[in-house]
């Protein structure tokens, strides 16, 4: 069965015009699946100037068709890049995503199974079957799902399909935190002091901890993102914490290996974007400040970091390049650092994928990271050198989630009854939803990313603060209101942020909860009435009233209008 996207409401899927350089390329018969012919080689010394950054050189054989093995805003983002490059894109979709935006955006779409990710977006066999059936010669994995799965990267390679990302070997090295630490030690990369081997006994752990000094952090070798982590303040707690960490790691990852690090209290989380081609060229593209997070879920990211000066950036960037080279890394990757109060930075882990927050780097570098990922996977050399990378301005990303800020940030799936999106100078919106679509509860509830750009941090903040009240989402709860609080906060504005920042803000700011909830309730009732009136008049259906409404800024004009009307 081919292409069973919904018959109605589909966007135009005319084939995009071929890019000029495609027409000049050798015929398809000379192509290997995913391989390239390089007809021209520019000596590295000969390249300079920003103008090169945007040039695509003629006569590199690009892909015929790209399967996007993901959903939501990132699938849409990748398909936009494909469209610009003149490469047809293929969507895969689960049962609940039949009408999802990424399906509407693709040139072709194929069903892959039930909502449960294991049956669809995480199912290697089904994804590869769609690639073969559609004739895709490359797969972009987005983030999450199969994006850091070494077995998937290897299976693509074995099937003659180019995986747009690093090799399985690079992923495996970074997938084990102890192995990564051993390799980084060899490469002379500064990492958090600690052990780089599995702890096999409480006695061994006690000796190591005494040497490092308390507090220490127990971590799962197979972990990342905070799972299986235990902070230990003093020796008497160590044995119980070790046993708990080991069994949690065993349950979560099927691998109970745990190691020890010196704990850095309230660190900053700063990461460096790297890009490596398959010819040995590796560059860094500046850092992203990612300290504003809640329970290991990032909420707001920015580039550059208010903490990092040019000298620190160069040192961090050079370390990040050393990390990438040690992993024989290819394509886009991110090197994560913990930064202590004295601005010492330590390698933490490497993410072997394109990240959610990549747009802030795109805005300050002027680069299109997805274009570059595709070009690199097609065998092109990086079209610029390190000295050509110039950072300009400041960018900040708000992750808009379908979640209820007044109810422990629980997911809030459901139908988007109405949607008004912000635009204007310095505003970029990477969204994966549309009005009338129902957000399923089966996946990560990220709806969109609202990104502000300005010549400096203050202007980026001002533009976001201007854009947020323009954003209106009815039918489901969102965390839009949270960003107004963050952007208005004095500590945030002066750049005083670390990984404990958001929790402190949420605690300090609970006195206004009742007043806020009251206002929100009035607005909710008014909006529900509007929604009912609207759907009843349009469809003649029974117009079931939505019980939810935007959780946007409390004083937006939308809410004011709703309240005024509600009091009439
Ligand atoms: C740490 C740490 C302090 N000291 N390691 C959390 C996620 C995982 N990838 C690493 N994490 C941390 N590792 C040492 N030795 C503090 C954290 C941490 C954290 C790191 C990045 C972003 C947010 C965080 C929130 C709490 C703890």
């Amino acid at each position: 069965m081919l292409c069973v996207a919904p018959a109605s409401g589909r966007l135009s899927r005319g084939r995009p015009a071929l890019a000029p350089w495609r027409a000049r390329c050798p015929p398809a018969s000379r192509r290997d699946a995913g391989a390239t012919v390089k007809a021209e080689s520019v000596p590295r010394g000969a390249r300079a100037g920003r103008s090169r950054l945007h040039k695509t050189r003629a006569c590199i054989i690009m892909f015929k068709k790209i399967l996007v093995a993901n959903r939501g805003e990132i699938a849409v983002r990748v398909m936009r890049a494909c469209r610009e490059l003149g490469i047809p894109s293929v969507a895969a979709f689960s049962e609940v995503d039949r009408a999802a935006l990424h399906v509407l955006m693709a040139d072709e779409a194929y069903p892959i199974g039930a909502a449960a990710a294991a049956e669809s977006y995480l199912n290697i066999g089904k994804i590869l079957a769609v690639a073969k059936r559609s004739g895709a010669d490359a797969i972009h994995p987005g983030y999450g799902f199969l994006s850091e799965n070494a077995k998937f990267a290897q299976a693509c390679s074995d099937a003659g399909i180019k995986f747009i990302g690093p090799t399985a070997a690079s992923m495996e090295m970074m997938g084990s935190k102890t192995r990564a630490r051993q390799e980084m030690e060899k490469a002379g990369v500064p990492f958090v002091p600690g052990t780089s081997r599995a702890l096999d006994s409480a006695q061994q752990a006690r000796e190591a901890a005494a040497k490092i000094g308390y507090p220490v952090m127990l971590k799962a070798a197979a972990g990342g993102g905070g799972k299986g982590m235990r902070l230990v303040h003093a020796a008497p707690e160590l044995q119980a914490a070790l046993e708990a960490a080991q069994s949690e790691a065993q349950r979560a990852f099927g691998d109970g290996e745990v190691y020890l690090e010196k704990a850095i209290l309230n660190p900053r989380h700063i990461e460096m974007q790297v890009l490596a081609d398959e010819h040995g060229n590796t560059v860094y593209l500046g850092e992203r400040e990612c300290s504003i997070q809640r329970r290991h879920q990032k909420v707001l990211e920015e580039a550059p970091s208010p903490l990092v000066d040019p000298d620190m950036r160069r040192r961090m960037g050079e370390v990040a390049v050393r990390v990438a080279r040690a992993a024989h890394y290819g394509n886009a990757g991110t090197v994560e650092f913990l930064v202590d109060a004295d601005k010492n930075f330590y390698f933490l882990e490497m993410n072997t994928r394109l990240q959610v927050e990549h747009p802030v780097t795109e805005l300050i570098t002027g680069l299109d990271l997805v274009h570059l990922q595709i070009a690199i996977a097609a065998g092109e050399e990086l079209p610029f050198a390190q000295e050509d990378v110039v950072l300009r301005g400041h960018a900040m990303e708000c992750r808009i989630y379908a979640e209820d800020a007044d109810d422990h940030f629980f997911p809030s799936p459901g139908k988007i009854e109405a949607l008004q999106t912000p635009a204007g100078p310095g505003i970029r919106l990477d969204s994966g939803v549309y009005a009338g679509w129902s957000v399923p509860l089966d996946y990560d509830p990220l709806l969109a990313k609202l990104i502000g750009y300005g010549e400096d941090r203050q202007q980026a903040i001002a533009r976001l603060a201007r854009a947020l009240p323009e954003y209106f989402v009815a039918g489901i709860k969102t965390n839009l209101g949270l960003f107004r609080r963050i952007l208005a906060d004095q500590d945030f504005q002066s750049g005083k942020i670390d990984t404990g920042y958001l929790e402190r803000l949420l605690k300090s700011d609970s006195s206004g909860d009742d007043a806020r909830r009251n206002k929100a309730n009035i607005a909710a009732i008014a909006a529900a009435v509007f929604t009912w009136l609207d759907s009843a008049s349009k469809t003649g259906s029974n117009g079931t009233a939505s019980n939810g409404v935007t959780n946007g800024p409390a004083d937006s004009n939308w809410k004011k209008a709703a309240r005024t009307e509600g009091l009439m």
Side-chain angles (χ1 to χ4, degrees), residues 177 181 192-193 215-219 223-227 229 231 259-270 290-298 336-338 346 348-349 351 498-500:
K177 309 301 161 199
R181 283 169 64 85
V192 190
V216 296
M217 197 74 102
L218 291 167
K219 294 187 175 184
K227 243 195 197 147
M229 224 170 67
L231 177 63
Y259 69 102
L260 229 160
E261 282 180 6
K262 172 127 191 104
I264 295 165
L265 297 179
N266 281 335
R268 286 199 182 224
H269 180 202
I270 301 180
C290 301
S291 296
I292 301 199
Q293 55 83 48
R294 198 184 154 271
R295 306 202 171 166
H296 306 300
Q297 169 134 285
K298 291 172 187 161
E336 292 191 359
F337 295 97
L338 285 182
Y346 306 94
L348 191 60
E349 47 196 73
N351 299 319
D498 59 49
T499 51

Side-chain angles (χ1 to χ4, degrees), residues 529-567:
V529 171
F530 279 126
T531 301
W532 184 84
L533 289 171
D534 195 40
S535 62
S537 70
K538 267 210 296 254
T539 64
S541 73
N542 68 2
T544 308
S546 151
N547 59 358
V549 69
T550 172
N551 191 29
D555 293 308
S556 80
N557 286 334
W558 283 99
K559 282 199 176 171
K560 270 191 223 145
R563 253 177 261 131
T564 310
E565 298 285 339
L567 292 171

Side-chain angles (χ1 to χ4, degrees), residues 141 147-150 153-154 162-171 278 327-333 350-354 373:
S147 62
E148 298 189 90
N149 186 311
Q154 190 57 51
K162 183 71 184 184
F163 177 85
I164 301 175
T167 60
S170 295
M171 284 186 200
E278 296 176 357
H328 306 290
Y329 198 84
N331 219 284
M350 182 168 189
N351 299 319
T352 56
R353 59 166 192 273
L354 183 72
Q373 283 195 292

